[in-house]
Amino acid sequence: MNLTKPPRILLWIPLLVGSTAWAQPKPNILWITIEDTSPQFIGCYGNEDARTPVIDRLAGEGVRFTNAFSTGTVCSPSRSAIITGVKTYKTGTGNHRSNYPVPELIKGFPYYLKSEGYYTTNNSKTDYNVARAKDFIKEAWHESSGKAGWWNRQPGQPFFAVFNLVDSHQSRTMTESYAWYEQHVLEHLEEAERIGDDDFEMPPFYTDNPEMRRQMARVYNSIKLTDNKIGALLTRLKKDGLKDSTIIFFYADHGEGIPRGKTNGINLGYRVPFVVWFPEMYKDLSPWGTGVVTDELVDFTDLAPTMIRLADGEPAAHLEGRSLLGANRSEKADYLFLSSDRSDNGIDKVRTVTDGKFVYSRNFMPFMPEARYIRYMEIGEIKQQMRKDLAENKLNDLQQSLFAERSAEFLYDIENDPWETKNLVANPDFKPVLEQMRSQLKMEILRARDVLLLPEYEIGLISETTTPYEFRLNDQNYPVEEIYKASSLSGMRGKKVAKQQFELLQSDNKIVRYWAMIGLRSQHSEDLKAFEPEIVEAMTDSYPPVAITASAIAFQLFQNELAENRLKQFCLSNNMDLALMSLNFLLYVDNKQPFVEVVKAVREKKASIYNVKAACADFLGSLGLISNNTDFRQ
């Protein structure tokens, strides 16, 4: 059903003076998106050390959301959900820069705004994580470039303009060298604008020492530069006489680009600053009023239907997000469902549910720590300092936990513990919350038929003949309940669970066997040693992801020579998903020496893609065989 239109809203029509001009019946829409930023580092969200006057003023005059969440924890899955309006665990686009197809029916949502007369521009990041990206982009935008903006529309034509500011990106706050940061951030700030190393409180999961403070100051200064650029953009909007007819959305694409934030399936990875500003002529579209704060739950799949409704369109049936504005807006959500999968070479799988007060995350591969090996982060000086402090025993228990195996489940009271320092899973006082959120998450995984329960190797094979989105809908092809039952054991530890997982290795379903073996990789060694024959036998399983995982376990526990040879063979595979899976396991074995030469060979192999080369570099870097710096990015 279309929005009920107030009297001032008319269909856009060409003016009689010519076909190149439009009446102005609909609001202009400006999106200001910034990179890799959590609300904890913004002034209007309570950080008195931050210097974000432009954002703070926009929030003070508009609507500030305290419970807005990205649907992913790294850029391309996040942007995939934004542009398609569909959760990545339905489209199969949750693995960072994976290039898998989506059905023809799924458009970049600005396509629908174009059909309602809007001039759509993107300046300029896309990173939508879909196949045939050029065609997808062309269909969505009139212009997508570093020069795009509202200024090229026809006179009076309503516009939807996106500006992506990169100055708070992880490259600025962490991964580039300090000298690069000085040139590209500090030198663009006046002396009085700069935040010094001692001008803020350190998050408790980092050591409070001069070296770490020097790195954390980068976050504050990068956000300050971003705030300045937002101010310049808003000045241009006002100078062009458009601010009084433009609704402004401001938000970050996911959480802060520092270790434990970006790429991690906890609140720090998901929660974002989010503000909507309404001019006087469109204040009636805000159900909250203006100059207010709301704790209403919002995630990025709400953006597409909201924009389409603002343009007087009707959201397509596949858009399940909420419409947030106007008279016929959707009912409030009680829970949000979020996901975190592979980032670059860092394979992972986390599913999350939040009600805004608590965040519950289910880690399906907890044998890898929060501070897992991801090359793009390992070259950062802050990550190197953390590893140095770990080696020198300078970290407290919380800080050390970033480098330890994760719990299968996290439950955090983010209202009272914003830095997520206390996992409440074992606390009996929170058992009702835990059980409720477990139940909600299970229902969503089954309802959505989460296609990313499949290993990426399988997603790649499926994508040769169909789309993951469509594949998941056929229960014969994808018996999701059977697969989920096996995956739900993964990460749970103990002899009883291990016995169940060994029994599942007899399944005819290769994906069930895969999850049984992935679950066994997270078991403690004392619960597996009695099953050596079964593990060795699984090394010859017909499904490569099972054989690789079994080999990784057999090598780690038993130093099995056949396992060593199998892992070397899979590392050299021409299938990049199998090669990456093998290398990822090698990053977490104790004895890396037997694999040094083969990893060097894979890194030099011309056919190896970035993710595979990055995993090789992390492997070699962990042994001190190459330097962890920007000269060795791969």
Side-chain angles (χ1 to χ4, degrees):
M1 184 168 61
N2 286 328
L3 280 172
T4 302
K5 306 182 186 72
R8 59 175 167 70
I9 302 290
L10 303 171
L11 290 174
W12 70 270
I13 56 173
L15 296 176
L16 294 177
V17 296
S19 60
T20 60
W22 277 264
Q24 175 64 69
K26 305 178 183 182
N28 299 315
I29 306 167
L30 170 63
W31 275 14
I32 303 171
T33 65
I34 67 173
E35 307 241 0
D36 304 8
T37 304
S38 295
Q40 290 98 314
F41 298 94
I42 305 291
C44 60
Y45 282 91
N47 189 326
E48 296 179 359
D49 301 321
R51 298 177 191 174
T52 51
V54 176
I55 296 171
D56 298 347
R57 184 166 57 251
L58 197 69
E61 297 173 358
V63 182
R64 176 168 64 86
F65 290 76
T66 60
N67 282 322
F69 294 83
S70 170
T71 46
T73 61
V74 69
C75 55
S76 70
S78 169
R79 291 169 188 272
S80 180
I82 292 170
I83 198 69
T84 65
V86 183
K87 295 289 178 69
T88 58
Y89 50 79
K90 292 183 180 181
T91 55
T93 57
N95 292 305
H96 188 29
R97 294 182 180 145
S98 50
N99 197 36
Y100 298 125
V102 295
E104 180 63 26
L105 67 89
I106 295 180
K107 309 287 187 183
F109 78 83
Y111 165 87
Y112 301 105
L113 274 62
K114 287 169 73 174
S115 69
E116 295 295 332
Y118 274 73
Y119 185 70
T120 64
T121 64
N122 178 53
N123 186 331
S124 64
K125 189 171 182 178
T126 51
D127 213 6
Y128 296 145
N129 212 31
V130 296
R132 299 178 60 248
K134 287 185 179 179
D135 293 338
F136 189 87
I137 292 165
K138 184 177 181 180
E139 188 177 48
W141 303 105
H142 284 101
E143 186 178 1
S144 179
S145 74
K147 297 180 179 180
W150 58 76
W151 37 83
N152 290 326
R153 74 196 194 287
Q154 299 292 342
Q157 184 181 10
F159 66 80
F160 172 63
V162 174
F163 289 83
N164 297 273
L165 304 181
V166 301
D167 300 276
S168 56
H169 186 260
Q170 189 174 48
S171 55
R172 278 71 171 170
T173 62
M174 175 180 161
T175 57
E176 292 288 357
S177 69
Y178 197 87
W180 188 100
Y181 153 76
E182 287 181 310
Q183 180 182 353
H184 290 86
V185 176
L186 279 185
E187 290 181 10
H188 294 270
L189 294 173
E190 299 292 335
E191 189 71 34
E193 294 179 310
R194 298 177 185 178
I195 291 87
D197 296 358
D198 296 319
D199 295 344
F200 52 85
E201 291 186 17
M202 287 290 285
F205 49 81
Y206 291 156
T207 48
D208 190 350
N209 60 33
E211 293 81 9
M212 290 295 288
R213 282 191 163 276
R214 185 171 187 257
Q215 299 304 322
M216 277 301 298
R218 295 175 61 158
V219 171
Y220 286 90
N221 284 308
S222 297
I223 293 174
K224 173 56 184 168
L225 180 58
T226 301
D227 192 74
N228 289 353
K229 292 192 175 182
I230 293 172
L233 182 61
L234 294 179
T235 296
R236 177 164 187 176
L237 184 73
K238 186 175 182 178
K239 184 179 179 182
D240 288 353
L242 295 167
K243 192 173 181 182
D244 62 357
S245 59
T246 302
I247 299 174
I248 301 169
F249 288 75
F250 159 79
Y251 65 92
D253 63 347
H254 50 71
E256 191 62 51
I258 52 176
R260 205 190 184 217
K262 182 177 182 177
T263 78
N264 267 308
I266 59 175
N267 183 61
L268 188 61
Y270 293 120
R271 190 186 291 257
V272 296
F274 190 98
V275 173
V276 184
W277 183 92
F278 297 87
E280 185 66 35
M281 67 187 297
Y282 293 114
K283 281 185 177 180
D284 61 307
L285 292 177
S286 171
W288 312 279
T290 56
V292 297
V293 178
T294 177
D295 63 0
E296 187 167 326
L297 293 167
V298 172
D299 78 37
F300 284 168
T301 58
D302 297 332
L303 290 170
T306 298
M307 297 306 107
I308 293 168
R309 290 282 192 191
L310 277 177
D312 273 352
E314 183 70 27
H318 68 271
L319 297 174
E320 297 180 4
R322 299 172 56 237
S323 180
L324 302 174
L325 308 180
N328 291 341
R329 79 190 199 101
S330 308
E331 292 184 5
K332 293 181 180 180
D334 295 322
Y335 295 96
L336 298 178
F337 301 99
L338 315 170
S339 57
S340 184
D341 295 281
R342 178 181 56 75
S343 175
D344 285 348
N345 57 289
I347 294 171
D348 200 17
K349 191 168 306 298
V350 182
R351 296 293 177 265
T352 301
V353 58
T354 183
D355 62 359
K357 177 174 173 54
F358 294 94
V359 163
Y360 168 77
S361 290
R362 179 69 169 86
N363 302 308
F364 290 87
M365 299 179 179
F367 63 89
M368 294 176 291
E370 287 182 316
R372 67 195 189 279
Y373 286 100
I374 299 176
R375 187 62 184 168
Y376 193 64
M377 301 183 81
E378 291 298 320
I379 61 175
E381 293 172 15
I382 189 171
K383 188 77 172 285
Q384 294 166 32
Q385 184 64 44
M386 291 168 68
R387 291 200 183 277
K388 181 175 183 291
D389 288 345
L390 175 69
E392 295 175 358
N393 200 30
K394 293 180 179 179
L395 305 183
N396 63 30
D397 290 345
L398 173 62
Q399 294 155 4
Q400 287 182 38
S401 72
L402 274 63
F403 297 92
E405 289 188 347
R406 288 172 291 178
S407 168
E409 299 174 292
F410 286 141
L411 177 67
Y412 291 117
D413 178 352
I414 50 177
E415 219 171 60
N416 297 305
D417 181 21
W419 292 117
E420 298 167 280
T421 65
K422 297 181 180 69
N423 185 4
L424 302 174
V425 166
N427 189 324
D429 293 341
F430 295 91
K431 187 176 180 181
V433 176
L434 176 65
E435 291 181 345
Q436 176 66 15
M437 288 191 154
R438 277 176 179 163
S439 176
Q440 291 292 334
L441 188 61
K442 175 183 177 180
M443 285 192 291
E444 171 63 10
I445 289 172
L446 294 177
R447 184 197 69 81
R449 303 182 65 83
D450 186 335
V451 74
L452 292 175
L453 292 178
L454 298 174
E456 194 165 4
Y457 168 74
E458 194 68 22
I459 296 287
L461 296 179
I462 289 165
S463 297
E464 294 176 3
T465 56
T466 185
T467 68
Y469 181 91
E470 293 165 301
F471 177 88
R472 79 188 217 289
L473 299 175
N474 185 318
D475 200 60
Q476 186 173 356
N477 289 339
Y478 189 52
V480 68
E481 292 198 16
E482 181 184 3
I483 291 169
Y484 173 74
K485 186 176 180 181
S487 70
S488 68
L489 297 174
S490 187
M492 301 300 181
R493 297 176 171 107
K495 291 181 180 179
K496 183 178 178 181
V497 175
K499 187 174 184 297
Q500 291 176 271
Q501 289 165 333
F502 277 111
E503 290 170 355
L504 289 173
L505 287 178
Q506 305 307 312
S507 173
D508 292 334
N509 187 306
K510 61 189 180 183
I511 309 302
V512 169
R513 299 198 308 274
Y514 163 76
W515 274 113
M517 193 55 71
I518 287 289
L520 289 168
R521 177 60 184 85
S522 293
Q523 294 289 356
H524 295 139
S525 58
E526 60 269 20
D527 294 325
L528 295 182
K529 288 181 178 178
F531 296 97
E532 181 175 358
E534 290 87 346
I535 294 171
V536 170
E537 181 181 358
M539 292 194 310
T540 58
D541 192 280
S542 60
Y543 191 51
V546 176
I548 291 170
T549 311
S551 298
I553 296 171
F555 179 77
Q556 172 73 353
L557 291 187
F558 315 122
Q559 295 295 299
N560 183 284
E561 187 175 346
L562 176 59
E564 178 185 324
N565 292 332
R566 294 283 280 164
L567 286 169
K568 289 176 178 178
Q569 291 167 5
F570 280 120
C571 284
L572 292 164
S573 173
N574 290 325
N575 182 292
M576 293 294 100
D577 294 320
L578 297 181
L580 179 58
M581 187 179 188
S582 306
L583 289 161
N584 194 65
F585 280 126
L586 293 185
L587 286 169
Y588 304 100
V589 299
D590 295 328
N591 181 15
K592 294 181 172 64
Q593 287 300 327
F595 302 98
V596 168
E597 294 307 316
V598 75
V599 170
K600 286 180 178 178
V602 175
R603 185 168 178 251
E604 296 301 321
K605 192 176 174 182
K606 288 186 178 180
S608 293
I609 62 172
Y610 168 80
N611 294 336
V612 169
K613 288 178 179 288
C616 291
D618 277 339
F619 178 94
L620 298 170
S622 72
L623 295 172
L625 297 175
I626 64 171
S627 298
N628 283 333
N629 59 45
T630 53
D631 293 331
F632 296 91
R633 289 177 179 275
Q634 338 169 13

